[in-house]
C-alpha cells in the first residue's frame, strides 16, 4: 500500500514552509500593528518577509478605540517606522484615529507615490496640514476622509494637486436637528475634481444646486452615495437625472450601517475596476485535515532578541 502523503497524526505542518509570496499575503491581512508587535517575531522567515520593503507597500493602521490591545502603543511612532520600512515603495495607507499634521507630513515627504490615502477620526490634522500633504500627492487616485474637521478649502487644493483622483469619500457626522444648507463642499468638488468615478458624501448639507454642479462637472461619475444628505430634494428633475446618469446610487434615506466606515474591508482599496483592492486574493490549497504550526527555531537556529526590531511600544 502506498505511503500516505498526509502529515503524520499529531504533527502539524510548519508555517515557515509556505512559499514567501503566500506568507506575505497572509501577513498583509494582519495589518501593520499586528506585524510589528507579533508576526515578525514568529521565526526568521517571517522576520525577513516583514523587513522586505515590498511588504510595506500597503500600511493598514486602522484601530478600534475599544480594543484594549492597543492601549499604551505609540501608534504614530509605529506608523513612522512602517513608512521607513517601505523605503519609498508605499502606495496605500490608512491612518485612523491618531493622525496628526506632523505624521501626515512625514508620510508624504517619505512617499511620493501614494495612490490610496484614508483618514478617519483624525481631529489633529488641520486644513493647512491636508493642503500641504495634497501638494505632494500627484499620483493619488483614491482619497477617503471620514469624520474629520476639514472645511471645503483643502478640497480645492486636493482637486487641483491630484489630477488622477478617481474616488473621493468626504463623510461627515450628521445631526438630527436642522442645520444650515451649504454647497461649499459640492462646489469645491465640482470646480476641481472633474475626473471622478466614485463619490461618497455621507451627511453632507449640500442642496440640489450643489448636486447639479457636481453632475455638470463630473461627467464620468459611476457611483454616488448621498445617504444622510438631508437637504436634498430628489423627487423631481434632480432625482430623475441621478437615476439616469449614475449606475450605483444611494439616496438620502437609504439604509446606512456605520460599520461601512469603520470596517469596510471590501472597500479598502481603489474603486478602480482594474484594481478593486489593495490586497490580492490568494487561494491557499491546503488539505483540510492538515494543521500548521509555528516554529520558533527553524533549522535549529539560535535567535538573539537583538535580531528583532523590539521597540518601546511592545511594553
Amino acid at each position: 500500500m502506498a505511503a500516505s502523503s498526509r502529515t503524520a497524526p499529531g504533527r502539524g505542518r510548519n508555517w515557515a514552509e509556505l512559499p514567501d509570496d503566500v506568507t506575505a499575503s497572509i501577513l498583509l491581512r494582519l495589518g501593520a500593528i499586528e506585524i510589528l508587535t507579533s508576526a515578525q517575531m514568529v521565526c526568521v522567515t517571517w522576520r525577513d518577509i516583514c523587513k522586505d520593503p515590498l511588504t510595506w507597500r500597503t500600511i493598514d493602521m486602522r484601530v478600534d478605540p475599544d480594543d484594549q490591545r492597543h492601549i499604551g502603543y505609540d501608534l504614530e511612532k509605529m506608523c513612522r517606522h512602517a513608512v521607513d520600512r517601505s523605503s519609498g515603495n508605499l502606495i496605500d495607507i490608512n491612518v485612523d484615529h491618531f493622525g496628526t499634521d506632523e505624521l501626515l507630513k512625514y508620510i508624504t515627504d517619505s512617499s511620493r507615490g501614494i495612490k490610496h490615502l484614508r483618514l478617519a477620526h483624525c481631529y489633529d490634522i488641520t486644513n493647512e496640514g491636508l493642503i500641504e500633504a495634497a501638494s505632494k500627492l500627484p499620483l493619488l487616485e483614491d482619497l477617503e476622509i471620514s469624520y474629520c474637521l476639514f472645511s471645503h478649502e483643502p478640497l480645492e487644493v486636493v482637486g487641483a494637486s491630484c489630477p488622477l483622483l478617481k474616488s473621493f469619500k468626504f463623510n461627515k457626522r450628521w445631526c438630527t436637528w436642522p442645520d444650515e444648507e451649504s454647497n461649499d463642499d459640492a462646489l469645491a468638488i465640482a470646480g476641481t475634481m472633474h475626473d471622478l468615478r466614485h463619490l461618497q458624501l455621507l451627511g453632507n448639507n449640500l442642496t440640489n444646486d450643489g448636486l447639479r454642479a457636481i453632475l455638470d462637472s463630473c461627467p464620468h461619475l459611476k457611483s454616488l452615495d448621498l445617504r444622510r444628505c438631508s437637504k436634498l430634494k430628489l423627487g423631481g428633475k434632480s432625482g430623475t437625472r441621478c437615476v439616469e446618469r449614475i449606475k450605483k446610487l444611494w439616496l438620502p434615506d437609504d439604509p446606512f450601517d456605520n460599520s461601512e466606515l469603520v470596517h469596510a474591508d471590501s472597500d479598502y482599496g481603489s474603486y478602480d475596476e482594474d484594481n478593486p483592492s489593495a490586497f490580492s486574493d490568494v487561494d491557499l490549497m491546503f488539505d483540510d485535515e492538515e494543521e500548521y504550526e509555528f516554529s520558533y527555531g527553524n533549522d535549529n537556529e539560535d535567535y538573539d532578541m537583538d535580531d528583532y526590531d523590539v521597540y518601546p511600544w511592545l511594553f
Side-chain angles (χ1 to χ4, degrees), residues 121-185:
H121 303 272
C122 293
Y123 307 119
D124 291 323
I125 298 180
T126 65
N127 284 344
E128 292 74 21
L130 182 57
I131 287 172
E132 181 179 356
S135 65
K136 305 171 187 174
L137 298 172
L139 302 181
L140 191 67
E141 299 176 6
D142 173 17
L143 175 62
E144 176 181 341
I145 300 173
S146 295
Y147 300 159
C148 296
L149 301 176
F150 304 121
S151 70
H152 68 281
E153 295 172 352
L155 304 190
E156 298 174 348
V157 179
V158 168
S161 303
C162 308
L164 301 181
L165 193 66
K166 300 294 190 299
S167 174
F168 183 46
K169 296 182 180 181
F170 191 58
N171 302 320
K172 297 184 174 182
R173 295 189 180 278
W174 52 88
C175 302
T176 55
W177 58 84
D179 197 4
E180 288 186 8
E181 298 176 348
S182 174
N183 287 313
D184 290 343
D185 299 337

Side-chain angles (χ1 to χ4, degrees), residues 190-231:
T192 59
M193 303 182 189
H194 306 301
D195 207 30
L196 284 181
R197 267 63 170 174
H198 310 278
L199 177 62
Q200 185 177 73
L201 294 173
L202 300 180
N204 201 279
N205 286 329
L206 80 163
T207 68
N208 286 23
D209 290 338
L211 178 58
R212 279 193 292 270
I214 290 174
L215 295 175
D216 288 341
S217 301
C218 304
H220 306 296
L221 269 183
K222 296 180 179 180
S223 72
L224 179 61
D225 193 342
L226 301 170
R227 284 176 291 181
R228 301 301 189 268
C229 295
S230 58
K231 307 305 177 185

Side-chain angles (χ1 to χ4, degrees), residues 24-32 34-35 60 279-283:
S25 179
I26 294 172
L27 294 176
L28 277 176
R29 297 165 192 271
L30 294 177
E34 285 72 19
I35 291 176
D60 183 0
F279 299 114
S280 61
D281 292 329
V282 177
D283 294 326

Side-chain angles (χ1 to χ4, degrees), residues 2-14:
S4 173
S5 62
R6 296 184 184 276
T7 304
R11 183 178 179 183
R13 290 282 299 275
N14 191 336

Side-chain angles (χ1 to χ4, degrees), residues 1-274:
M1 182 176 182
S4 173
S5 62
R6 296 184 184 276
T7 304
R11 183 178 179 183
R13 290 282 299 275
N14 191 336
W15 281 93
E17 296 175 353
L18 290 174
D20 286 354
D21 57 340
V22 175
T23 301
S25 179
I26 294 172
L27 294 176
L28 277 176
R29 297 165 192 271
L30 294 177
I33 296 173
E34 285 72 19
I35 291 176
L36 291 174
T37 58
S38 58
Q40 69 173 353
M41 297 183 182
V42 168
C43 62
V44 166
T45 300
W46 282 33
R47 179 194 62 187
D48 290 343
I49 292 173
C50 291
K51 286 186 174 182
D52 186 341
L54 295 182
T55 298
W56 300 95
R57 295 176 76 235
T58 293
I59 297 176
D60 183 0
M61 291 290 294
R62 283 176 292 181
V63 295
D64 182 347
D66 297 325
D67 189 341
Q68 300 299 308
R69 294 176 301 171
H70 299 147
I71 293 178
Y73 289 166
D74 187 337
L75 296 175
E76 182 168 346
K77 185 175 183 179
M78 294 175 75
C79 187
R80 288 173 182 253
H81 179 61
V83 170
D84 290 343
R85 283 197 177 186
S86 73
S87 299
N89 290 287
L90 179 63
I91 62 172
D92 190 331
I93 186 165
N94 186 322
V95 179
D96 191 352
H97 284 94
F98 64 93
T100 64
D101 282 351
E102 293 75 17
L103 177 59
L104 190 58
K105 183 178 187 302
Y106 190 85
I107 293 169
T108 54
D109 282 347
S110 304
S111 311
R112 297 301 179 96
I114 295 176
K115 295 182 179 181
H116 315 290
L117 172 64
R118 270 153 289 282
L119 308 172
H121 303 272
C122 293
Y123 307 119
D124 291 323
I125 298 180
T126 65
N127 284 344
E128 292 74 21
L130 182 57
I131 287 172
E132 181 179 356
S135 65
K136 305 171 187 174
L137 298 172
L139 302 181
L140 191 67
E141 299 176 6
D142 173 17
L143 175 62
E144 176 181 341
I145 300 173
S146 295
Y147 300 159
C148 296
L149 301 176
F150 304 121
S151 70
H152 68 281
E153 295 172 352
L155 304 190
E156 298 174 348
V157 179
V158 168
S161 303
C162 308
L164 301 181
L165 193 66
K166 300 294 190 299
S167 174
F168 183 46
K169 296 182 180 181
F170 191 58
N171 302 320
K172 297 184 174 182
R173 295 189 180 278
W174 52 88
C175 302
T176 55
W177 58 84
D179 197 4
E180 288 186 8
E181 298 176 348
S182 174
N183 287 313
D184 290 343
D185 299 337
L187 295 179
I189 293 168
T192 59
M193 303 182 189
H194 306 301
D195 207 30
L196 284 181
R197 267 63 170 174
H198 310 278
L199 177 62
Q200 185 177 73
L201 294 173
L202 300 180
N204 201 279
N205 286 329
L206 80 163
T207 68
N208 286 23
D209 290 338
L211 178 58
R212 279 193 292 270
I214 290 174
L215 295 175
D216 288 341
S217 301
C218 304
H220 306 296
L221 269 183
K222 296 180 179 180
S223 72
L224 179 61
D225 193 342
L226 301 170
R227 284 176 291 181
R228 301 301 189 268
C229 295
S230 58
K231 307 305 177 185
L232 290 172
K233 309 298 180 185
L234 299 180
K237 293 182 179 179
S238 294
T240 301
R241 187 180 180 192
C242 284
V243 171
E244 292 175 348
R245 271 275 318 274
I246 308 300
K247 292 182 179 179
K248 294 187 67 175
L249 176 66
W250 289 266
L251 299 175
D253 292 329
D254 283 346
F256 174 76
D257 181 355
N258 191 58
S259 66
E260 293 178 59
L261 289 181
V262 182
H263 302 295
D265 292 334
S266 61
D267 282 344
Y268 182 73
S270 172
Y271 269 116
D272 187 349
E273 291 84 358
D274 294 330

